[in-house]
């Protein structure tokens, strides 16, 4: 997959036993999906894999061949279970090298040479040919190789890295979204919602029920690159909700 695709897509590969065990709740997927969507890049797949070499390598190769961009989060720290960088190198069939610029960034960050021990220097090991991704928070860089962007798992560091990466990505048409919320059950809306989707096949129309302290209802999300089509379908959906006895609330965006 190349970055010349007219409709760019993305996948995220979340690496870490702590996610699979439930100890850590992933916060990176929602942020990535939202920011990439604003840039016209659709998130199409998310995978979570353990700190196991063969599984990371297989997932990287599967995803990079299918999507325009792949983002990995986690596994690039200084400890023994941080193996993402070496796994990405193996996926691409290149050597894992001690990157001089990465070392220089760590030296500036730690100041005292005695603090830059071998464990921390592991964070300067980058696949041959990799391009560093800035880390303005803790200096240890991520990297890009091919269409794979390898970033930290700590959310505020990942977000800072992504801020630097986004301007360099080729996006597509912006994705517009509207949310229609109402206090109707999905079963009441299902038939009309299905018919609405058939009339607007180029849009994504999703139904997401909610239960809030005795209150219930559903948020109906419409997404697409044609803003006029999104608006038209939203107007139709508002009419459907009213006809079925509901009171619709419309918000811009996919949160409701």
């Amino acid at each position: 997959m190349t970055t010349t695709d007219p409709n760019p897509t993305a996948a995220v590969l979340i690496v870490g036993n702590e996610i699979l065990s439930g100890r850590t709740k992933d916060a990176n997927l929602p942020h990535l999906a939202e920011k990439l969507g604003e840039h016209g890049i659709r998130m199409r797949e998310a995978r979570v894999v353990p700190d196991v070499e063969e599984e990371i390598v297989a997932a990287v190769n599967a995803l990079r061949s299918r999507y325009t961009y792949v983002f990995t989060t986690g596994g690039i720290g200084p400890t023994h279970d941080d193996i993402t960088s070496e796994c990405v190198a193996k996926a691409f069939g290149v050597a894992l090298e001690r990157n001089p610029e990465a070392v220089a960034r760590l030296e500036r960050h730690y100041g005292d040479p005695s603090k830059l021990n071998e464990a921390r220097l592991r964070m300067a090991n980058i696949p041959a040919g990799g391009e560093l991704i800035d880390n303005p928070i803790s200096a240890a860089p991520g990297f890009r190789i091919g269409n794979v962007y390898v970033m930290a798992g700590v959310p505020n560091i990942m977000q800072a890295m992504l801020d630097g990466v986004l301007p360099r990505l080729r996006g597509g048409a912006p994705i517009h979204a509207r949310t229609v919320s109402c206090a109707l059950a999905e079963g009441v809306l299902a038939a009309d919602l299905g018919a609405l989707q058939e009339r607007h096949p180029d849009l994504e129309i999703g139904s997401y029920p909610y239960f809030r302290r005795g209150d219930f209802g559903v948020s109906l999300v419409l997404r697409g690159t044609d803003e006029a089509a999104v608006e038209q379908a939203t107007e139709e959906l508002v009419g459907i909700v009213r006809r079925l006895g509901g009171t619709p609330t419309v918000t811009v965006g996919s949160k409701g």
Side-chain angles (χ1 to χ4, degrees):
M1 188 68 67
T2 70
T3 54
T4 59
D5 300 320
N7 299 300
T9 56
V12 60
L13 176 61
I14 302 163
V15 180
N17 293 340
E18 69 278 12
I19 301 294
L20 289 167
S21 71
R23 181 188 180 280
T24 300
K25 294 178 174 58
D26 176 69
N28 291 323
L29 172 57
H31 185 83
L32 277 162
E34 180 178 0
K35 292 300 181 181
L36 292 173
E38 292 173 356
H39 204 65
I41 301 169
R42 291 176 180 260
M43 183 68 75
R44 287 304 194 196
E45 186 172 347
R47 294 193 190 187
V48 185
V49 295
D51 302 310
V52 176
E53 179 183 300
E54 56 266 30
E55 296 198 32
I56 298 172
V57 172
V60 168
N61 282 330
L63 295 173
R64 73 187 179 97
S65 67
R66 185 173 182 181
Y67 301 104
T68 315
Y69 301 109
V70 177
F71 299 86
T72 79
T73 64
I76 60 172
T79 59
H80 71 281
D81 55 346
D82 290 313
I83 61 172
T84 300
S85 297
E86 59 194 81
C87 291
V88 171
K90 289 184 178 182
F92 278 84
V94 300
L96 186 69
E97 301 177 339
R98 184 66 52 89
N99 183 282
E101 174 56 27
V103 172
R105 295 185 187 190
L106 292 172
E107 288 175 340
R108 289 193 295 269
H109 176 73
Y110 287 104
D112 183 351
S114 67
K115 294 182 178 179
L116 190 55
N117 56 28
E118 185 58 30
R120 285 171 169 160
L121 281 169
R122 288 186 73 236
M123 297 187 292
N125 292 341
I126 307 294
E131 173 188 322
L132 298 185
I133 295 175
D134 290 337
N135 174 357
I137 295 177
S138 60
F143 61 87
R144 178 194 68 82
I145 180 168
N147 62 336
V148 178
Y149 293 75
V150 177
M151 302 191 293
V154 179
N156 66 325
I157 299 178
M158 189 286 296
Q159 292 171 19
M161 287 182 171
L162 184 62
D163 287 343
V165 165
L166 276 173
R168 292 180 279 165
L169 301 180
R170 189 193 60 77
I175 299 168
H176 303 279
R178 300 291 184 274
T179 297
V180 180
S181 299
C182 62
L184 293 175
E186 283 188 301
V188 173
L189 288 155
D192 287 288
L193 198 63
L196 181 67
Q197 180 70 84
E198 289 181 2
R199 292 196 298 275
H200 298 275
D202 293 333
L203 302 184
E204 296 176 9
I205 302 176
S207 176
Y208 310 100
Y210 59 82
F211 301 88
R212 301 165 183 163
R213 294 184 179 179
D215 184 24
F216 79 94
V218 63
S219 293
L220 307 165
V221 180
L222 306 92
R223 303 174 76 245
T225 56
D226 185 336
E227 188 171 18
V230 172
E231 290 284 5
Q232 174 61 38
T234 300
E235 290 180 12
E236 293 179 37
L237 182 53
V238 165
I240 290 168
V241 170
R242 287 176 175 154
R243 175 169 54 79
L244 294 173
T247 302
T249 300
V250 180
T251 56
V252 176
S254 57
K255 297 177 181 179

